[in-house]
Amino acid sequence: MATDSYLPYGRQEVDEDDIAAVVEVLRSDWLTTGPMVDRFEQAVADYTGARYGVAVSSGTAALHAAMFAIGLGPGDEVILSPMTFVATANAVVYQGGTPVFVDVEEDTLLIDPSLIEEKITPRTKAIIAVDYAGQPCDYDALRDITDRHGLYLVADACHSLGAEYKGRKVGTLADLTVFSFHPVKPITTGEGGMVMTDNPAWVERVRTFRNHGIDVDHRKRDEQATWRYEMTELGYNYRLSDIHAVLGLSQLKKLTTNIALRRNIAAYYDRLVLDLPNVKPLHMRVDRAHGYHLYVVKLPVREWAFVRLRERGIGCNVHYAPVHLQAYYHRTFTTKKGSCPIAEEAGWQILSLPIFPAMRGEDIERVVCLLGNDME
Ligand SMILES: *Cc1c(COP(=O)(O)O)cnc(C)c1O
């Protein structure tokens, strides 16, 4: 296998502007959380239409901070889909909560709103909507449920920065929205994340949480010429540095272009796989604008395709093995096989094909051609 022809499933785009921006911060007075973090938060808020953003050190930290913001504690339950990265459920457990898994729709792998209400108990505090692959969940249906039951709606939008639901941008669709800036995600800061909200009280809680639970930060103490600080909550060091933030700020300028490229790639895949009766792409709902963080197909015998594509230098992957069947969740929360049958079946059939903005038409053709050969 020639390494130069290796096609990863996802790849960041870092250009000379990004590099120059980071170098400039390295020559400045602030390295950790400073003016670039403020600017990055404002820029993501402006882009999404959310009132506030609070940057943290990862998407996982952002999920944890969101669970802290809503006051999640021991005994509280949070409803979520098992078709996600383990971090979504882990954030619930970090705060002492219990994840309650609800199955997905077969054609989108998004949480099925019609299955949620039967899982609501007096301990249910929130629903986490996971915008799987970059397609927003049915937020009107979810909002209807959270309104009627007095629950919080949190969006795990780690895949869906830039996507839209009924003309509204992700970032404004839930009470709290979480982004990740890991290198495979729509924009990157290396590692990083952000919590979006319109609620100023939650902004304060997340800012405190990312800084050990201390209620006045170092810069504010300088401004107020005081040494006083008070640790009012148990927090963490979840700060993002200015070095990371400036990379995100520079990356954000290219998001619109990159999403358009991703949509073109997905449309080309959709067209080519029509000729392969055994390969079924996931469905895109007509009222959504998909971000295509992932391009996922279902195959009757996924394992063969996975091995054969990998042998030929195609970095396909599986997103995800359903979280409720992970050993930890099975052991700790006695989650059972058969409890989310659609996600479980999909777990054996799904394959994420390479998708990233710099992919060329011939790369897409090569992937689909190998997929076709494999099916014969
Ligand atoms: C990437 C991701 C996370 C975690 O983000 P990190 O920045 O890697 O911590 C959480 N949820 C989903 C759905 C993700 O894809």
Side-chain angles (χ1 to χ4, degrees):
M1 181 179 68
T3 48
D4 63 354
S5 70
Y6 181 76
L7 203 58
Y9 88 86
R11 184 163 62 201
Q12 74 273 14
E13 308 286 330
V14 174
D15 64 18
E16 290 306 317
D17 291 343
D18 295 334
I19 292 166
V22 172
V23 168
E24 201 176 317
V25 166
L26 287 170
R27 296 191 205 281
S28 79
D29 289 339
W30 278 105
L31 293 186
T32 188
T33 313
M36 290 304 161
V37 167
D38 295 341
R39 282 181 54 191
F40 183 41
E41 290 172 343
Q42 190 58 52
V44 178
D46 290 346
Y47 175 84
T48 58
R51 204 167 294 163
Y52 307 104
V54 184
V56 291
S57 52
S58 69
T60 304
L63 282 162
H64 188 185
M67 294 299 104
F68 171 81
I70 62 170
L72 192 78
D76 292 335
E77 296 172 3
V78 176
I79 287 173
L80 74 159
S81 136
M83 191 45 75
T84 186
F85 187 47
V86 292
T88 320
N90 291 354
V92 174
V93 181
Y94 294 157
Q95 284 300 107
T98 301
V100 174
F101 296 98
V102 167
D103 212 352
V104 291
E105 299 170 336
E106 200 250 331
D107 59 343
T108 61
L109 303 185
L110 299 173
I111 194 166
D112 185 340
S114 74
L115 301 175
I116 290 177
E117 284 188 282
E118 63 198 63
K119 296 286 178 66
I120 294 175
T121 75
R123 305 309 309 260
T124 307
K125 188 126 189 170
I127 297 173
I128 306 179
V130 179
D131 295 341
Y132 178 81
Q135 170 158 232
C137 293
D138 186 350
Y139 281 94
D140 282 351
L142 295 174
R143 180 59 83 187
D144 183 53
I145 295 168
T146 56
D147 278 353
R148 274 188 290 111
H149 295 270
L151 310 177
Y152 296 115
L153 181 56
V154 177
D156 180 340
C158 289
H159 295 185
S160 61
L161 176 62
E164 291 172 24
Y165 174 79
K166 299 185 179 174
R168 286 136 62 199
K169 271 224 162 62
V170 166
T172 61
L173 303 167
D175 298 316
L176 292 142
T177 300
V178 167
F179 294 126
S180 164
F181 308 123
H182 178 279
V184 296
K185 306 295 165 83
I187 65 167
T188 190
T189 59
E191 296 280 0
M194 200 176 288
V195 180
M196 316 307 297
T197 184
D198 286 352
N199 180 341
W202 283 341
V203 170
E204 281 314 305
R205 276 179 72 76
V206 174
R207 286 205 178 125
T208 300
F209 191 68
R210 78 172 170 192
N211 193 34
H212 308 278
I214 295 171
D215 70 352
V216 174
D217 76 20
H218 168 64
R219 282 179 300 157
K220 276 204 194 137
R221 282 200 298 280
D222 282 353
E223 282 164 19
Q224 294 165 2
T226 177
W227 57 266
R228 282 182 184 283
Y229 63 89
E230 187 74 29
M231 185 187 135
T232 55
E233 303 277 357
L234 180 63
Y236 295 79
N237 178 356
Y238 279 165
R239 294 186 305 265
L240 191 73
S241 81
D242 263 27
I243 304 168
H244 294 88
V246 79
L247 178 56
L249 207 48
S250 180
Q251 288 257 307
L252 192 60
K253 294 178 189 153
K254 289 157 278 195
L255 177 61
T256 304
T257 309
N258 284 342
I259 287 179
L261 290 167
R262 286 177 179 276
R263 286 182 182 145
N264 287 343
I265 294 164
Y268 196 28
Y269 267 132
D270 280 345
R271 198 139 49 83
L272 293 179
V273 299
L274 275 179
D275 293 335
L276 307 178
N278 280 327
V279 180
K280 291 204 174 54
L282 294 184
H283 197 78
M284 184 176 84
R285 297 272 183 259
V286 291
D287 57 1
R288 324 237 170 129
H290 204 305
Y292 285 110
H293 161 60
L294 300 174
Y295 186 85
V296 178
V297 295
K298 285 191 190 177
L299 302 161
V301 193
R302 194 260 322 279
E303 280 338 282
W304 290 0
F306 178 84
V307 172
R308 296 276 296 280
L309 263 64
R310 279 286 181 96
E311 275 172 359
R312 290 156 201 216
I314 309 293
C316 54
N317 227 321
V318 174
H319 302 91
Y320 296 94
V323 176
H324 69 294
L325 299 184
Q326 294 290 338
Y328 171 82
Y329 283 98
H330 176 63
R331 190 173 74 237
T332 314
F333 296 97
T334 59
T335 49
K336 289 192 177 61
K337 218 180 253 180
S339 58
C340 294
I342 295 172
E344 291 168 28
E345 187 179 29
W348 293 108
Q349 298 176 336
I350 46 178
L351 190 66
S352 304
L353 303 180
I355 186 165
F356 52 89
M359 241 182 124
R360 299 160 305 176
E362 64 211 68
D363 296 327
I364 301 163
E365 289 154 16
R366 180 171 148 224
V367 173
V368 176
C369 180
L370 285 171
L371 211 50
N373 292 343
D374 191 73
M375 294 282 104
E376 276 157 16

